[in-house]
Amino acid sequence: MSSPSAATPPILAIRKLGVRLDGVPILRDIDLSLAADSMCALVGPNGGGKSTLLAAILGQLSFTGSIEASWRRDGRIGFVPQNFPLDRTLPLTVLDFLALTRQRRPIAWGVERGVRRRVEGLLERVALSGFERRLLAELSGGELRRVLLAEAIDPAPELLLLDEPGAGMDEESASRLESMLAALRSAGGTTILMVSHDFAAVRRTADRVVVLDRSVRREGAPQEVLPPAERGTNADPGLQAVLERSS
């Protein structure tokens, strides 16, 4: 896996970012830089602004401050949301959904052979082989999230935003997710920002952790920021309280 160089500008530089919703401050004075090819985990309590920060990066919310990108390729951003609004009456299969952005002719005319093979390969990567003909409406929450992940990683994005990607996944699927994210990074060119409440997964996968509770409370390597498995041993009682509300 490549190591980000101190001389390389960050892929994303967030400065003094603030967000208000209906006049209520949700985020304030957020300073955050994402090094190229790194994996940063956002942790913090519900309502602390983690998903709001992702929405600001995606341009879905107005904000004060600045977000500056230094893309090295095409600047493609992949995104897997925590919740996906899905019309359960829509008769759309997994194959059709993933083919929509991968072929030029209308899906009503059928899926091209090359696109079908590409989709089958993607589904294998996210441990959903054989799901091509399943309706999106029939999928569990964890299965739907894996389909959205398949959509987000092909072609490989320069920045991948994940909002609780492991939620609803069994242990085997979560392990496969971690391996796939590691492979994306080792191939080079993908920087990952992930919201997670799973401290064990964060310790295994992230280079850096940012504790967010409307503002950045602390950041650093996982072993420096996250408490050990034994509770009550963190030197910062205030930070410990925030993390207790996050798990």
Side-chain angles (χ1 to χ4, degrees), residues 7 65 79 83 91 104 144 199-200 203 222 242:
F79 175 49
N83 298 301
R104 293 185 178 182
L144 179 59
F199 290 174
R203 290 188 185 95
V242 170

Side-chain angles (χ1 to χ4, degrees), residues 63-111:
F63 58 85
T64 57
S66 64
I67 301 177
E68 297 181 357
S70 297
W71 304 121
R72 298 176 297 172
R73 301 195 325 264
D74 56 2
R76 182 176 185 271
I77 299 177
F79 175 49
V80 178
Q82 184 175 7
N83 298 301
F84 182 69
L86 176 65
D87 182 352
R88 293 287 173 179
T89 66
L90 189 66
L92 190 65
T93 67
V94 170
L95 174 62
D96 291 342
F97 175 76
L98 292 174
L100 280 171
T101 57
R102 291 171 173 83
Q103 70 176 39
R104 293 185 178 182
R105 73 181 188 184
I107 293 299
W109 295 359
V111 177

Side-chain angles (χ1 to χ4, degrees), residues 236-246:
D236 183 343
L239 179 63
Q240 179 74 21
V242 170
L243 293 173
E244 290 278 354
R245 289 158 48 214
S246 309

